[in-house]
Amino acid sequence: MVPTLNFPPELLLKAQGIRVVFLDVDGVLTDGGLYFSESGETIKRFNTLDGHGLKLLQRADITPAVITGRDSQPLRLRLAALGIVHAHFGTEDKRPAAENTLRALGLDWRQAAAMGDDWPDLPVMTRCALACAPFNAQAEVAAAAHFVTQRRGGEGAVRELCDLLLLASGRYASLLQETLQ
């Protein structure tokens, strides 16, 4: 089986060398809606395509990191299930959180990608080598992105970014072949 993905060459070049990807949660890993139970608990819906893409990134030595303005037990459980250890919760000023993660990993902004959907994500996105936004991102955020996905946040947008990074790293085809065995 051969990969069927097709990204513009200039986008693949921009994505080469990425070692960490910063992700927002609401509107990126979820559809941005906030669902509340009768007891007031926040409930979120995550997409399994995104989850599998994040696991594939880790197998390709690309670290997913989450920086979010909110915090909830369901979110923490989902990230733990995905093996994501670099996560910052309840963080309104996302740039310092990203800088801390870069320091911890021994990386710099030239090795980073980010996906966000609203203004609080811009300070991280504009510093990264590759800025991405889901299809339904706020206008200025989409304009700042090098890559806007075809899918909406929470509906596979993160998987599109993962596929781009895997293809640019040269690991997409080998990971696909491993799956087929």
Side-chain angles (χ1 to χ4, degrees), residues 23-26 29 44 46 65-80 84-94 97-98 101:
L23 302 165
D24 179 35
V25 174
D26 295 324
L29 282 168
K44 297 178 186 262
F46 296 93
V66 169
I67 306 173
T68 178
R70 300 181 60 81
D71 190 3
S72 69
Q73 189 59 24
L75 171 60
R76 288 178 180 260
L77 289 171
R78 180 62 178 150
L79 296 183
I84 295 175
V85 296
H86 296 279
H88 304 270
F89 304 97
T91 304
E92 293 300 322
D93 187 1
K94 296 182 178 191
T101 299

Side-chain angles (χ1 to χ4, degrees), residues 30-44:
T30 74
D31 63 10
L34 296 175
Y35 307 91
F36 294 95
S37 69
E38 287 184 20
S39 64
E41 179 185 16
T42 305
I43 302 166
K44 297 178 186 262

Side-chain angles (χ1 to χ4, degrees), residues 30-178:
T30 74
D31 63 10
L34 296 175
Y35 307 91
F36 294 95
S37 69
E38 287 184 20
S39 64
E41 179 185 16
T42 305
I43 302 166
K44 297 178 186 262
R45 178 186 164 277
F46 296 93
N47 188 292
T48 58
L49 289 173
D50 293 339
H52 187 67
L54 293 170
K55 287 180 180 181
L56 290 171
L57 281 186
Q58 292 173 76
R59 288 176 55 194
D61 295 321
I62 300 171
T63 303
V66 169
I67 306 173
T68 178
R70 300 181 60 81
D71 190 3
S72 69
Q73 189 59 24
L75 171 60
R76 288 178 180 260
L77 289 171
R78 180 62 178 150
L79 296 183
L82 294 173
I84 295 175
V85 296
H86 296 279
H88 304 270
F89 304 97
T91 304
E92 293 300 322
D93 187 1
K94 296 182 178 191
R95 184 188 49 77
E99 289 172 342
N100 288 338
T101 299
L102 288 171
R103 259 192 307 282
L105 296 171
L107 301 173
D108 62 45
W109 290 110
R110 294 170 300 189
Q111 297 167 293
M115 180 178 270
D117 70 315
D118 208 347
W119 290 4
D121 304 311
L122 286 171
V124 173
M125 290 176 60
T126 57
R127 285 169 171 79
C128 287
L130 179 66
C132 305
F135 177 78
N136 58 316
Q138 192 276 335
E140 284 82 10
V141 175
H146 302 110
F147 174 54
V148 176
T149 64
Q150 294 178 7
R151 295 181 180 171
R152 300 170 64 81
E155 297 177 7
V158 170
R159 179 57 180 269
E160 286 185 46
L161 171 57
C162 292
D163 289 345
L164 167 63
L165 295 174
L166 292 170
L167 206 58
S169 73
R171 291 297 313 277
Y172 189 92
S174 63
L175 289 168
L176 178 60
Q177 288 305 315
E178 288 174 23

